[in-house]
Amino acid sequence: MNLSCTFRSLWPRYYIHHSSIPSLITRSSKTNLFIKRTITTKTNEKPAAHAFYDDKIITYANRPIRPVTLSQLVRFGQPPLTKASLRECAQYARTELPVRLARRVRAFQTLPFIVGTNPYIKEIYKLYYESFESLEPFSHERTPNDDIEYSENLKDLVDRHADNIPTLARGFLECKQYMHAQDVAAFLDDMIHARIGIRLIAEQMIALVRQEQTGDTTDNSYIGIIDTQLNPAQLVKQCSDFVAELCEFNYGASPETIMDGHTDATFTYIPVHLEYILTELLKNAQRATVEFAKKRGLSQPPPIQITISHGQEDISIRIRDQGGGVAEDDLNQVFEYSYTTVAKASEDEDPSNIFTGIAEMAMQSGIGGPLAGLGFGLPLARMYARYFGGSFTLVSMNGYGCDVFLKLKHIDQSMAELEI
């Protein structure tokens, strides 16, 4: 195997830490000298174009972030949508997204060398690097006609990065012995928070270009990706049906969902955010309920009760399950990345069952992230809830079940100056 090609292909030139190479090479001193000499030679032979892009990444990453307030994001798409407001949104996205993407690339390059070589983590690093290279040319002066092409590039970015979180989860699970837990948490907190902002800016631009192209104004409740009349009960129903299908596929049964409270309430929020949060919470609730029912020998799992309350400044959603609760030893760790109480399929299932692997993969895909077993669902749901000033509380009754309380603030004038 040509080790020089392996090291060379991992990161851009300046990321190769020569001080870390000797510790990774354990062959004879003669071989060591040959390998070191080969690496140095190949690095120097690297095309100038790569060095140019490396320098460009550094240049952009050193630029300051220009946060956009929620009111500005709304103003970009305030009806009636005009070419001037669309152009303003496009100009902001074109100049801001390359800076944020470059910072993500640099963040990956600060990881320990052995962590950066993990195939899952390396895959996401490559995605961010390629996304930067794809969007950076649009940051220069372009014509308004380029907005459609730019929007298509943003769609590609959003689609290609859809599975970033479960991929990173698998990578850090494999590398947990090489980094302190608090360092992993700090990296992921920063990465995921930045990811939310990047997606919001990109998706707002995509939505406005689509609206401008189609001229569709039939749904006046939407301002880009923001729904001013979002009905949480309707979204709960959609997410519950989706998770129930996964649960049926994996376990052969799913609990009934009973909804009560202010089911007609509406508020201003970003549907994709609430969809993500609800999906993650319902995944946990349904899985725990079915597994605990089987453990107790019940023929049917007990229902999950969801209550919606509409306050003056927020919407509250309570999800109550009878899934046995969380043990005291686990309760303080459920919001830690990669911590999970889910046993691997191989530990609990018949290994001859050909559907085991398929079901586990389905349970770990879903909307925007993993379902169960990767340990990212609860910390991510809490981060999404807090992003717009909300809160997330879990109360466990060990031996019976859990109550999850989700509070979401209206995205209105009170949140207008929130920076993204």
Side-chain angles (χ1 to χ4, degrees), residues 205-222:
M205 177 65 188
I206 294 168
L208 294 182
V209 169
R210 181 173 59 245
Q211 185 179 332
E212 196 267 343
Q213 278 185 291
T214 62
D216 184 11
T217 58
T218 53
D219 194 346
N220 293 322
S221 69
Y222 273 86

Side-chain angles (χ1 to χ4, degrees), residues 26-63:
T26 58
R27 300 189 181 183
S28 68
S29 58
K30 184 177 179 181
T31 306
N32 285 349
L33 290 173
F34 173 75
I35 292 174
K36 289 178 184 177
R37 185 161 54 248
T38 305
I39 291 170
T40 304
T41 303
K42 289 295 184 178
T43 300
N44 292 335
E45 290 176 1
K46 198 168 185 179
H50 285 269
F52 170 74
Y53 280 116
D54 295 349
D55 293 340
K56 189 184 292 186
I57 287 282
I58 296 173
T59 299
Y60 274 86
N62 287 338
R63 294 178 183 177

